[in-house]
Coordinates of all heavy atoms in Angstrom, one line a residue:
G117 N -9.5 11.1 24.0 CA -9.2 12.4 24.5 C -9.1 12.3 26.1 O -8.1 12.6 26.7
P118 N -10.2 11.7 26.7 CA -10.1 11.7 28.3 C -8.8 10.7 28.8 O -8.2 11.1 29.7 CB -11.4 11.0 28.6 CG -12.3 11.4 27.5 CD -11.4 11.4 26.2
L119 N -8.6 9.7 27.9 CA -7.5 8.7 28.4 C -6.2 9.5 28.3 O -5.2 9.1 29.0 CB -7.5 7.5 27.6 CG -8.8 6.6 27.7 CD1 -8.9 5.5 26.8 CD2 -8.9 6.1 29.3
L120 N -6.1 10.4 27.4 CA -4.8 11.1 26.9 C -4.7 12.5 27.6 O -3.8 13.2 27.5 CB -4.6 11.3 25.4 CG -4.4 9.8 24.7 CD1 -4.5 10.1 23.3 CD2 -3.1 9.2 25.1
H121 N -5.8 12.8 28.4 CA -5.8 14.2 29.1 C -5.8 15.2 28.0 O -5.1 16.2 28.2 CB -4.7 14.2 30.2 CG -4.7 13.1 31.0 ND1 -5.6 12.8 31.9 CD2 -3.8 12.1 31.0 CE1 -5.2 11.7 32.6 NE2 -4.0 11.2 32.1
L122 N -6.4 15.0 26.9 CA -6.6 16.0 25.8 C -8.0 16.7 25.8 O -9.0 16.1 26.1 CB -6.3 15.4 24.5 CG -4.9 14.9 24.2 CD1 -4.9 14.2 22.7 CD2 -3.9 16.1 24.2
P123 N -8.0 18.0 25.6 CA -9.3 18.6 25.4 C -9.9 18.2 24.1 O -9.2 17.5 23.3 CB -8.9 20.1 25.3 CG -7.5 20.1 24.8 CD -6.8 18.9 25.4
P124 N -11.2 18.5 23.9 CA -11.7 18.1 22.6 C -11.0 18.8 21.5 O -10.6 19.9 21.6 CB -13.2 18.7 22.7 CG -13.5 18.7 24.2 CD -12.1 19.0 24.9
L125 N -10.7 18.1 20.4 CA -9.9 18.6 19.3 C -10.8 18.5 18.1 O -11.6 17.8 17.9 CB -8.7 17.6 19.1 CG -7.8 17.4 20.2 CD1 -6.7 16.4 19.7 CD2 -7.1 18.8 20.6
P126 N -10.4 19.4 17.1 CA -11.2 19.4 15.8 C -10.9 18.0 15.2 O -9.8 17.4 15.4 CB -10.6 20.5 15.0 CG -9.8 21.3 15.9 CD -9.5 20.5 17.1
T127 N -11.7 17.6 14.2 CA -11.6 16.3 13.5 C -11.7 16.5 12.1 O -12.7 17.1 11.7 CB -12.6 15.3 14.1 OG1 -12.6 15.2 15.5 CG2 -12.5 13.9 13.5
V128 N -10.8 16.0 11.3 CA -10.8 16.2 9.9 C -12.0 15.3 9.4 O -12.1 14.1 9.8 CB -9.6 15.8 9.2 CG1 -9.6 15.7 7.7 CG2 -8.4 16.6 9.7
A129 N -12.8 15.9 8.6 CA -13.9 15.1 7.9 C -13.3 14.6 6.6 O -12.7 15.4 5.8 CB -15.1 16.0 7.7
W130 N -13.4 13.3 6.4 CA -12.8 12.8 5.1 C -13.8 12.9 4.0 O -15.0 12.3 4.1 CB -12.5 11.3 5.4 CG -11.6 11.1 6.7 CD1 -11.8 10.6 7.8 CD2 -10.2 11.7 6.8 NE1 -10.8 10.7 8.6 CE2 -9.7 11.4 8.0 CE3 -9.4 12.5 5.9 CZ2 -8.6 11.7 8.4 CZ3 -8.1 12.7 6.3 CH2 -7.7 12.5 7.6
T131 N -13.4 13.5 2.9 CA -14.2 13.6 1.8 C -13.4 13.1 0.6 O -12.2 13.3 0.5 CB -14.6 15.1 1.5 OG1 -13.5 15.8 1.3 CG2 -15.5 15.6 2.7
G132 N -14.1 12.6 -0.4 CA -13.3 12.1 -1.7 C -12.2 11.2 -1.4 O -11.3 11.1 -2.1
A133 N -12.3 10.3 -0.4 CA -11.2 9.4 0.0 C -10.8 8.5 -1.2 O -9.7 8.2 -1.3 CB -11.6 8.6 1.2

Side-chain angles (χ1 to χ4, degrees):
L119 295 170
L120 295 169
H121 312 289
L122 291 173
L125 305 176
T127 304
V128 174
W130 304 114
T131 59

